[in-house]
Each structure stands twice: as structure tokens, then as C-alpha cells.
Amino acid sequence: MAGTVHVVDDDASFRSAIERRLKMAGYAVSTYPSAQQLLDQLPDESEPGCILLDVRIPDLSGPELQDRLSQLGSTLPIVFLTGYADVPTTVRTIKAGAEDFLTKPVSSEHLLRTIERAMAHHRASLGVKQKLDALRALEASLTPRERQVFELVVQGKINKQIARVLGATERTIKAHRHRVMEKMRVQSLAELVSIADRLGVPTGNSPEHGQG
């Protein structure tokens, strides 16, 4: 399956028509008559998807839903499709990260091209997330002491300094360091520092501390 398009629009006839059009193009489709319904049934973001969103919908507007989803940490790209385009709304939604802002009526070719681009972006972000999740799993396999050694190593400290900070022998630190490299599946300090950066672990010359 090419991915799932989540259509949020209060016009039932439009939802039906767009659902048929998208299914013919090979997409799975979920429709919602209101923004609140989508919030109540938050889409699964573990598979490629995007949101096709109207601007003027009752209660919670399209841009307001965009803001709410952003606060919830949603990664689904949003394509706005509206019959009432205005410059301030277009600028606001694009600045807030919308994939595109289309005006009804839109050609099938233009719509499908935009949705495929949104899907491609979501696939890419899923790939990044999966790699980060894998690194977090490796990090979680470290013992508390190995975690301390990991943090001090990526701050640029040598074994002697780490031994002094942690009150251990250099030989013990060397063994811990070796296990850290093995568990994190790296061959060099540069690789370990790169992983630490991606995990948000402080690197560089930070003040020495005892707890990591």
C-alpha cells in the first residue's frame, strides 16, 4: 500500500469523492467530518501517511488542528485543500510546517503529486525515527556505570580522567569503555561521539562530574 491519507473535511460529498479518487490511486483512506474526530482517533504514525485538511471546518479550524497536532508531536505531513484561500492563512500554515496549500478545485494530477511528495517526506522521517529508536535501544543496554563512562568518553576525557572522576582504576575504565564500544556497535571514538550527538548526550569539554 502506498500509504494512508487522512481526509478532514465537513463536506460529506467531497469526502466521498476524494476517497474514491485516492483509493483509485492506490492509497488507503480514512475520513473525518471534523478536526475533533481526528484528535479522538489519532492516526497510527508508524506507517507512511499524510493529512488532507480543509481550512474552514466547524469548531476547530484546519490551522487550529495543525497547531494541536504539532503540540502532540505528530509527524504526519499536512496538505491543506480549501475553497477559501487567503494569503495570511496560507503563510501561517506553510510557516507552521504544512507540506502545501492547495485551492479547490484542484486537478487529480496536482493533488496526487502533492500527496506523493508528502508521503515521501513521511517515509523519510520514519526512517530517521527507526534509526534513532535502534540507537536508543543500544543505549538502554548499557549498565549505569557503562552509561557514566559513555558520557565522560564523549566529553573528550581520557581513561585516567574518567578513573579519577568515578573513583575506579584505569584498567576497570578501559574494560568498561571496551564494553560501551561493543554495545553501541562502533569502532571509533568519532562514531561514538556522532551517536551521542544524535541521542542528545552532551559532548565536548564539559566540566568533570561524578554521576555522568
Side-chain angles (χ1 to χ4, degrees):
M1 190 63 71
T4 302
V5 183
H6 302 273
V7 180
V8 185
D9 197 297
D10 62 326
D11 183 335
S13 61
F14 173 78
R15 289 198 306 274
S16 297
I18 203 75
E19 183 174 6
R20 283 195 303 271
R21 194 190 301 187
L22 293 170
K23 283 184 173 178
M24 283 177 62
Y27 293 106
V29 182
S30 294
T31 62
Y32 311 81
S34 70
Q36 190 58 52
Q37 188 174 346
L38 182 135
L39 289 172
D40 291 341
Q41 306 168 18
L42 281 174
D44 175 13
E45 299 196 16
S46 63
E47 299 294 336
C50 73
I51 297 172
L52 189 62
L53 179 58
D54 194 6
V55 171
R56 293 188 181 182
I57 36 183
D59 301 323
L60 202 64
S61 73
E64 287 169 341
L65 175 61
Q66 181 187 28
D67 292 342
R68 190 75 62 85
L69 289 170
S70 177
Q71 291 164 8
L72 292 171
S74 172
T75 60
L76 286 174
I78 295 176
V79 175
F80 279 94
L81 178 58
T82 181
Y84 308 94
D86 62 79
V87 173
T89 304
T90 304
V91 171
R92 172 187 167 185
T93 55
I94 294 296
K95 277 190 171 181
E99 181 71 32
D100 210 336
F101 196 103
L102 308 178
T103 305
K104 298 175 185 175
V106 63
S107 71
S108 288
E109 183 184 354
H110 188 183
L111 177 64
L112 295 175
R113 192 166 59 240
T114 302
I115 286 175
E116 182 46 48
R117 188 172 67 244
M119 290 288 183
H121 285 170
H122 195 231
R123 284 188 206 101
S125 69
L126 284 175
V128 170
K129 182 181 182 298
Q130 285 164 358
K131 288 177 184 175
L132 193 56
D133 286 346
L135 292 178
R136 286 184 177 132
L138 296 179
E139 182 187 25
S141 73
L142 301 177
T143 66
R145 181 45 62 99
E146 287 165 356
R147 167 78 192 193
Q148 290 175 319
V149 171
F150 171 43
E151 291 180 350
L152 292 166
V153 165
V154 298
Q155 286 173 19
K157 298 195 186 318
I158 61 174
N159 291 347
K160 183 186 292 185
Q161 293 172 305
I162 297 171
R164 189 169 71 247
V165 170
L166 298 181
T169 65
E170 278 189 64
R171 184 175 179 179
T172 299
I173 296 304
K174 189 173 180 180
H176 282 312
R177 187 170 181 153
H178 179 69
R179 280 197 294 274
V180 168
M181 301 286 277
E182 277 191 335
K183 286 185 175 182
M184 298 305 292
R185 300 179 186 173
V186 296
Q187 303 294 322
S188 69
L189 175 59
E191 286 180 276
L192 195 64
V193 170
S194 174
I195 285 175
D197 273 333
R198 291 172 68 184
L199 291 171
V201 177
T203 59
N205 295 317
S206 302
E208 291 186 3
H209 51 87
Q211 297 303 313

